[in-house]
Amino acid sequence: MDSRSVGVLLAGGVGQRVGRDTPKQLIEVAGKTILEHSMDAFEGAPEIDEIVVLMTPGYADRVREIVDKGGYRKVSTVVEGGASRTESTWRALRALGPEECDVLLHDAVRPLVEPRIITECVKALETHSAVNVAIPSSDTVFVAVPGPGGEVIGEVLDRSRLRRSQTPQCFKLSVIREAYERAFADPEFAGRPATDDCGVVLRYLPEVPIHVVRGSERNIKVTHPDDLRIAELLFRLADE
């Protein structure tokens, strides 16, 4: 029996860097909220059976209204986020129940995720337990170290081996759940949390290889005010 595939939209941020009072996932771009664009991508993906939305505390009812009005039939539940990214992800994982499934954890503020990426992630989970979406780095990346008068370049990294991580980050539920259980059992984790879910798996289940699926330059994360304008332009170009 095929495992069900669940898209988890992580929308628990507050949007401080984008400079708005409203959570950035509820800001409108190209006629819809950013969250709606992300829900559209997963709702329209034939490989996705279910969607769970993890939302900023205090805004869950607003999201439920959007879901009802938009007719998002795949959205099974809206979960309020926690105080941190890792706590929010853990709340979403618990909401999925005990049955094994494929989980695609996606930043809701990446509204331009392409259908091809979702398809390839679900396909990759047929043979891999952990999958990350990434693109090559077009910039030279170096390590900065303290020097006279400020920072200096300590080491230039080999760009041919570097990748810029995106989402979705995808796992068998049992794998990502075990990684988080080990993380929360580690007293040092709170003081040195991972920045994403693949980081949790890499640290606490190092024996599990994380397969890489090719991402897209369009799959941007809306973080700063300029990102809103870029996203608006990309949606317009897609409609032409």
Side-chain angles (χ1 to χ4, degrees):
M1 181 178 178
D2 293 337
S3 176
R4 84 188 198 276
S5 296
V6 183
V8 175
L9 298 181
L10 299 170
V14 295
Q16 289 180 335
R17 284 178 289 180
V18 88
R20 304 285 185 91
D21 294 331
T22 303
K24 58 187 172 183
Q25 53 273 22
L26 295 180
I27 295 172
E28 284 201 5
V29 171
K32 290 184 178 182
T33 65
I34 291 171
L35 177 59
E36 285 176 279
H37 286 297
S38 293
M39 287 196 295
D40 285 344
F42 283 82
E43 181 78 22
E47 303 86 0
I48 297 299
D49 302 301
E50 180 183 347
I51 300 170
V52 171
V53 180
L54 193 292
M55 188 58 194
T56 308
Y59 291 89
D61 285 343
R62 171 73 180 114
V63 173
R64 293 185 185 103
E65 291 174 4
I66 292 172
V67 169
D68 290 342
K69 185 177 179 180
Y72 293 99
R73 60 177 182 80
K74 291 184 181 179
V75 176
S76 61
T77 186
V78 178
V79 182
E80 285 208 344
S84 65
R85 165 65 184 262
T86 51
E87 183 184 340
S88 294
T89 301
W90 179 241
R91 289 189 180 191
L93 295 177
R94 286 190 302 175
L96 294 177
E99 184 181 344
E100 182 70 292
C101 62
D102 294 340
V103 184
L104 287 75
L105 296 163
H106 183 64
D107 293 328
V109 289
R110 291 185 186 272
L112 287 140
V113 60
E114 298 168 8
R116 187 265 310 165
I117 292 175
I118 297 174
T119 298
E120 291 186 10
C121 284
V122 173
K123 181 69 175 176
L125 284 172
E126 293 178 5
T127 52
H128 302 278
S129 296
V131 176
N132 192 19
V133 173
I135 57 176
S137 175
S138 57
D139 299 313
T140 296
V141 179
F142 62 82
V143 178
V145 297
E151 291 183 341
V152 298
I153 295 177
E155 177 186 3
V156 176
L157 305 180
D158 180 0
R159 189 172 67 185
S160 68
R161 299 177 58 201
L162 298 178
R163 302 291 182 269
R164 288 157 49 202
S165 183
Q166 298 184 335
T167 66
Q169 295 187 348
C170 318
F171 311 90
K172 296 295 182 184
L173 177 59
S174 57
V175 169
I176 188 64
R177 183 172 278 164
E178 181 179 353
Y180 267 93
E181 286 172 349
R182 294 188 182 188
F184 290 138
D186 178 5
E188 296 183 1
F189 181 70
R192 192 170 62 95
T195 56
D196 64 9
D197 303 301
C198 282
V200 177
V201 172
L202 193 64
R203 190 185 306 179
Y204 294 99
L205 293 175
E207 70 278 9
V208 175
I210 303 174
H211 178 73
V212 178
V213 161
R214 177 175 56 91
S216 168
E217 292 285 356
R218 287 173 52 86
N219 188 20
I220 65 168
K221 184 176 182 180
V222 177
T223 304
H224 303 286
D226 286 347
D227 298 329
L228 292 169
R229 291 186 281 272
I230 293 169
E232 182 86 36
L233 177 60
L234 289 172
F235 275 117
R236 272 195 218 155
L237 291 173
D239 290 336
E240 291 180 357

